[in-house]
Amino acid sequence: MLTFHPNSKPWHQYVPTNLHSHTTSSTLYKTKILPFQIANTLNEGKQPKQSSAGKIKRLVLTQEGRSKLNTYPDREFYAYPRFVTHVDDGFISTLTNIYKERLRPSWEILDLMSSWISHLPKEVTYKKVVGHGLNAQELAKNSQLDYFFVKDLNQDQKLELESCSFDAVLCTVSVQYLQQPEKVFAEVFRVLRPGGAFIVSFSNRLFYEKAISAWRDATGYGRVQLVVQYFQCVEGFTQPEIIRKLPATGGAQEDKSPFSWIRKLLGLLSGSDPFYAVIAYKNFRPTYE
């Protein structure tokens, strides 16, 4: 059953009449009064037959590639809030500029695997921004979110959101933790409107013990190719676009020393952060004047 955060103001929601017979693993909170609907997943089997778009064509990761050093549930690892920035100012500036270029104020946006900061341009007010994450305290601090919900996507990849309900989905410095990325990308495809954008950004920072093996063992190039394959394994996404911005001293190879490994365990790395983004669209890439 979905659990709603108590609020003394009116909350207008769509709730299926048979919701009490359906159990989900997410918790939905609201920070502002805006209309929001939850998908009735019970009636999916009664929908008219659709095309195969959005279906998973193949699996990208092996079972070993999905494994993590820390096998405890992610909800436990993220039980306490971390009010820190996980990337440097250069990375944030580059990402915010991409959002300025690619996102429009009239759009409804899903900020997947979000935190207390979304990096959206502060001078732009979007029609609706819904956040998702694993720590309610962090999400409640995020002033750019109209709503947020808490859900562990490694336990349950189903998003209790209506199909074709968002113009863009964002995933910032978090894709490395997904153990079922194929299913998550398929769900993102479902909730996007035709022409909607999925922007996945990341750097070389990570909580080493919580990143999947395939990500930990890959180079920067290999990680980009992993995300490209996540898009390509779901039928209907456009050809992924890759954006890279590497540090000026970018020729150096990744530090493999024991000290660097300890810093990775703590989620800490020094130096300028490389920027990577992979962007694809549902069905087609729209053009705007």
Side-chain angles (χ1 to χ4, degrees):
M1 181 185 300
L2 288 172
T3 305
F4 297 91
H5 188 274
N7 195 297
S8 59
K9 296 181 180 180
W11 171 247
H12 303 291
Q13 62 188 17
Y14 167 79
V15 182
T17 56
N18 53 355
L19 180 61
H20 295 287
S21 64
H22 179 55
T23 301
T24 67
S25 58
S26 66
T27 305
L28 180 67
Y29 302 78
K30 85 185 184 72
T31 58
K32 296 180 183 177
I33 303 173
L34 290 173
F36 185 69
Q37 293 184 320
I38 301 169
N40 181 358
T41 57
L42 295 177
N43 294 326
E44 284 182 348
K46 301 177 182 179
Q47 298 298 322
K49 186 176 181 180
Q50 299 179 355
S51 71
S52 60
K55 301 297 184 182
I56 298 172
K57 297 184 290 186
R58 61 182 177 83
L59 296 180
V60 175
L61 300 177
T62 64
Q63 195 61 35
E64 172 61 26
R66 303 176 198 274
S67 65
K68 296 185 177 186
L69 295 176
N70 183 331
T71 59
Y72 289 100
D74 289 343
R75 290 291 291 271
E76 293 183 14
F77 184 79
Y78 296 100
Y80 63 93
R82 295 177 174 89
F83 297 116
V84 299
T85 53
H86 298 282
V87 282
D88 64 15
D89 291 343
F91 182 102
I92 294 171
S93 176
T94 300
L95 181 60
T96 300
N97 286 333
I98 289 175
Y99 289 161
K100 287 180 183 177
E101 296 171 0
R102 303 297 180 107
L103 308 178
R104 301 171 71 83
S106 60
W107 281 9
E108 296 177 278
I109 298 168
L110 172 61
D111 189 6
L112 204 62
M113 305 177 76
S114 186
S115 181
W116 69 293
I117 302 174
S118 288
H119 308 307
L120 291 162
K122 296 186 183 300
E123 67 273 18
V124 180
T125 301
Y126 298 96
K127 183 177 180 181
K128 180 172 71 179
V129 182
V130 177
H132 153 266
L134 279 171
N135 187 282
Q137 289 176 272
E138 288 187 19
L139 295 169
K141 275 273 197 180
N142 192 329
S143 62
Q144 294 178 301
L145 302 179
D146 297 306
Y147 304 91
F148 69 85
F149 63 99
V150 175
K151 184 183 183 72
D152 184 351
L153 291 178
N154 286 332
Q155 294 292 323
D156 178 12
Q157 295 76 49
K158 181 69 177 177
L159 297 173
E160 286 83 24
L161 302 167
E162 286 193 333
S163 299
C164 302
S165 56
F166 291 94
D167 301 288
V169 177
L170 318 175
C171 182
T172 306
V173 295
S174 297
V175 68
Q176 61 266 30
Y177 306 120
L178 289 174
Q179 291 181 284
Q180 301 292 333
E182 303 95 338
K183 292 180 180 179
V184 173
F185 275 58
E187 272 293 278
V188 169
F189 186 94
R190 181 184 65 79
V191 303
L192 278 173
R193 296 184 174 112
F198 186 17
I199 303 176
V200 180
S201 58
F202 52 94
S203 188
N204 59 356
R205 297 199 186 212
L206 68 161
F207 293 116
Y208 196 75
E209 61 183 309
K210 296 305 290 185
I212 63 170
S213 173
W215 193 275
R216 296 195 313 269
D217 296 340
T219 62
Y221 174 82
R223 291 166 179 172
V224 170
Q225 293 307 307
L226 265 182
V227 178
V228 167
Q229 290 183 68
Y230 294 164
F231 277 110
Q232 292 176 336
C233 79
V234 178
E235 186 170 344
F237 275 119
T238 61
Q239 180 62 29
E241 172 189 358
I242 299 169
I243 299 175
R244 292 186 183 90
K245 186 176 180 181
L246 303 180
T249 57
Q253 294 186 353
E254 187 174 355
D255 188 356
K256 298 288 187 179
S257 68
F259 182 69
S260 173
W261 186 81
I262 293 172
R263 295 204 320 265
K264 289 176 181 178
L265 284 175
L266 298 174
L268 302 172
L269 283 171
S270 61
S272 181
D273 294 340
F275 177 90
Y276 305 98
V278 184
I279 306 172
Y281 297 81
K282 179 174 179 174
N283 302 140
F284 62 91
R285 177 174 176 173
T287 57
Y288 303 99
E289 295 182 358

